[in-house]
Amino acid sequence: MIMPKHFFLETFGCQMNVVDSEQIVDLLRGMDYAPADRPEDADLILLNTCAIRDKAERKVYGHLGRYKPLKAVRPGLILGVGGCVAQQQGEKLLKDIPYLDLVFGTHNIHRLPDLLRDVEIRHRRGHALEFHDRETRLRLFPQRSGGEAVTRFVTVTQGCDNFCSYCVVPLVRGREISRPSGEILDEIRQLAASGVREVTLIGQNVNSYGVGVPGELSFARLLAEVEGIDDIVRIRFTTSHPKDLSDELIDCFGSLKKLCNHIHLPVQSGSDRILRLMNRGYTREQYLDRVRRLRRVRPEIRLSSDIIVGFPGESEEDFADTLSLTEEVNYVDIYSFIYSPRSGTAAVKLEDSLTAGERQARFDRLLKIQEDISRQWRERDAGAILEVLVEGESRQGQGQLFGRTTWNRIVNFAGPRDLIGSLVPVHITQVYRNSHLGCLVTDQAPSHG
Ligand code: SF4
């Protein structure tokens, strides 16, 4: 009897990596690999990596170090690295880590089966790191299936042309391409037919979809087409660049009912001087104007953001601008990061006199302000009846389901399994930092959502 082979896959970073990992799993299943719960039980361990911050990159080396003893006990264990660190470090990873078997970059996930066979049959370590041209990348877009899922990410753009001065994405993911709208809509129709109810259209810079592609739909038109697909009840998209948030797209929040009441709109800094140094392509006032317009067409919209603290040359005054913008926008959540220099980016050449202590102190001040604002948003939900899309059984325990509100907030509540995939009203009884707890309402419509 042939024993099944097992894989253990760790995914770091953003939604793009989550989608790439789904493709990796599909390829591995096609090679008769089954998932393992623990690395100790795996014949193949893969890391799908993120290079956005130095910390994320060091984490990869740390994890590889942890797997070294496993490899020493079982030399047949295959160890591989994919994703953005693989793309950036390339063959250096194979040189630095003698027990690593394979490395594949962001344009080469499809080469994984060949690389694996080389290791399994010929005991040959290998790598696939080349960047492909636009036509090849469009041809290699995988068509995704829904499986058992209620919500799915659907990739609409890949790569980025913006070259924000701190960011490695254009270097490790390549230039932006937009996938043909016909293909995207076919995929969403198939997902809907297999039970998916919510789609999140994703791309590094999702709202520049179609720009510069003759005859292609605008992003707003693409959303309108998705709205027309029966059985899809909710639509989200991420990540949006403020400079590409057109009036046409803002108007979608007025006209498309399936579009959720949430947008992630990374501002990065509240200071015009720092925004210029970051090469973000908008001013503080232009950003605030977009926010005001969004709220005009969809008053119940909630915004979240990314903010970088301690960008090279950030003065106390610049940082005060970030704090005041944070308060003015009144974000429901922010994802704030201390600036991390990334090699190959323009920002590493900027003069930088900030100490680690100064950066940390500013970071703590921002978090404190935001924590207060986020708490107020959470408390608004307490006692309300909110519409929840039920996604599955909760990790909280037996008989508990979980789902999300239109604002992307997780809600746990007791209910029967056959509600999975439905929109249901839930009375919010407790609000916690990361999720809400509620009770299913059987005789009332939601008051919000
Ligand atoms: S928009 Fe800027 S921050 Fe976002 S992926 Fe592109 S270069 Fe990076």
Side-chain angles (χ1 to χ4, degrees):
M1 190 176 79
I2 301 171
M3 292 296 283
K5 297 175 286 184
H6 288 90
F7 69 91
F8 184 78
L9 171 62
E10 279 192 283
T11 306
F12 304 87
C14 65
Q15 297 91 341
M16 304 302 287
N17 269 14
V18 172
V19 170
D20 286 351
S21 281
E22 288 172 1
Q23 187 191 352
I24 290 170
V25 170
D26 285 349
L27 289 171
L28 293 176
R29 285 188 193 276
M31 295 181 77
D32 295 327
Y33 275 91
D37 290 333
R38 309 177 316 150
E40 290 78 5
D41 301 329
D43 305 282
L44 164 68
I45 298 176
L46 290 176
L47 305 185
N48 190 11
T49 61
C50 168
I52 205 90
R53 272 169 284 283
D54 183 41
K55 200 170 147 201
E57 198 174 305
R58 272 185 283 134
K59 219 174 181 180
V60 172
Y61 281 89
H63 279 242
L64 286 171
R66 239 188 278 157
Y67 296 136
K68 189 177 177 185
L70 290 182
K71 183 96 181 181
V73 183
R74 284 190 291 131
L77 170 68
I78 301 172
L79 198 52
V81 176
C84 296
V85 175
Q87 189 66 53
Q88 201 178 37
Q89 301 285 324
E91 290 176 69
K92 185 173 178 295
L93 274 169
L94 287 171
K95 280 196 199 107
D96 287 352
I97 302 167
Y99 52 91
L100 183 63
D101 296 292
L102 58 96
V103 175
F104 57 102
T106 51
H107 290 190
N108 289 281
I109 296 171
H110 65 291
R111 296 274 313 277
L112 179 60
D114 292 341
L115 292 168
L116 263 176
R117 274 189 284 271
D118 264 0
V119 183
E120 287 175 339
I121 299 166
R122 299 180 196 90
H123 305 289
R124 206 163 58 196
R125 303 166 82 210
H127 59 79
L129 296 160
E130 65 271 29
F131 265 181
H132 297 301
D133 60 22
R134 187 179 170 276
E135 282 64 36
T136 310
R137 287 168 70 197
L138 287 174
R139 193 165 38 77
L140 290 173
F141 252 109
Q143 187 80 15
R144 314 302 329 277
S145 61
E148 307 256 289
V150 173
T151 65
R152 285 303 286 249
F153 292 132
V154 175
T155 311
V156 304
T157 68
Q158 264 185 0
C160 185
D161 289 344
N162 284 325
F163 291 92
C164 298
S165 65
Y166 51 84
C167 183
V168 286
V169 166
L171 310 177
V172 294
R173 293 246 165 209
R175 304 305 291 264
E176 182 176 296
I177 56 165
S178 292
R179 194 178 171 197
S181 50
E183 217 176 88
I184 295 167
L185 294 167
D186 277 351
E187 180 172 321
I188 297 176
R189 280 185 205 106
Q190 281 172 30
L191 291 173
S194 73
V196 168
R197 295 289 167 263
E198 174 185 304
V199 286
T200 304
L201 308 191
I202 64 164
Q204 232 79 50
N205 188 18
V206 72
N207 52 340
S208 63
Y209 175 83
V211 171
V213 185
E216 190 48 278
L217 299 179
S218 66
F219 188 56
R221 284 297 313 150
L222 179 66
L223 289 174
E225 293 290 327
V226 180
E227 170 98 0
I229 297 178
D230 290 343
D231 293 333
I232 294 296
V233 297
R234 279 185 176 176
I235 306 166
R236 303 179 191 275
F237 58 89
T238 197
T239 298
S240 302
H241 196 300
K243 76 172 168 54
D244 295 312
L245 189 65
S246 62
D247 286 345
E248 188 194 15
L249 180 52
I250 290 175
D251 287 344
C252 287
F253 283 94
S255 58
L256 304 183
K257 293 200 167 32
K258 295 180 182 176
L259 207 50
C260 287
N261 291 339
H262 174 252
I263 184 167
H264 184 67
L265 195 62
V267 69
Q268 307 299 4
S269 171
S271 150
D272 281 341
R273 199 179 68 83
I274 297 298
L275 286 172
R276 249 191 329 273
L277 287 173
M278 287 178 165
N279 193 31
R280 288 291 288 173
Y282 53 86
T283 63
R284 173 193 175 98
E285 190 41 43
Q286 284 165 341
Y287 182 92
L288 289 171
D289 178 60
R290 306 277 88 192
V291 172
R292 285 190 288 267
R293 283 172 191 237
L294 278 166
R295 288 196 165 129
R296 217 173 297 139
V297 297
R298 182 73 75 89
E300 41 314 321
I301 199 164
R302 296 184 184 178
L303 289 98
S304 57
S305 193
D306 296 336
I307 293 180
I308 296 174
V309 175
F311 188 78
E314 182 190 78
S315 67
E316 188 50 42
E317 204 185 345
D318 294 319
F319 180 62
D321 286 345
T322 297
L323 293 182
S324 67
L325 180 132
T326 303
E327 288 179 307
E328 183 168 348
V329 177
N330 200 18
Y331 294 112
V332 64
D333 271 312
I334 60 165
Y335 303 89
S336 50
F337 306 99
I338 293 177
Y339 169 74
S340 170
R342 313 305 297 126
S343 98
T345 62
V348 289
K349 299 189 193 106
L350 295 173
E351 203 182 308
D352 184 12
S353 57
L354 279 171
T355 65
E358 284 167 328
R359 286 193 161 96
Q360 185 65 50
R362 285 181 189 175
F363 180 76
D364 293 344
R365 281 163 63 198
L366 176 63
L367 275 198
K368 194 161 178 298
I369 286 176
Q370 181 58 42
E371 182 40 47
D372 245 23
I373 300 173
S374 294
R375 185 178 40 72
Q376 288 169 30
W377 278 111
R378 289 196 294 273
E379 283 169 2
R380 277 194 202 191
D381 291 350
I385 294 173
L386 303 181
E387 188 176 68
V388 171
L389 176 61
V390 189
E391 292 184 31
E393 284 176 304
S394 164
R395 275 186 258 158
Q396 306 288 319
Q398 287 193 337
Q400 291 278 312
L401 301 174
F402 84 99
R404 277 166 216 267
T405 66
T406 182
W407 299 300
N408 217 13
R409 185 104 193 133
I410 290 180
V411 180
N412 294 296
F413 63 99
R417 255 200 120 261
D418 61 7
L419 288 182
I420 295 172
S422 312
L423 285 167
V424 298
V426 177
H427 178 218
I428 305 301
T429 51
Q430 298 276 344
V431 292
Y432 301 110
R433 185 186 277 258
N434 296 319
S435 61
H436 292 343
L437 187 66
C439 294
L440 184 64
V441 178
T442 45
D443 57 352
Q444 214 176 326
S447 55
H448 295 90

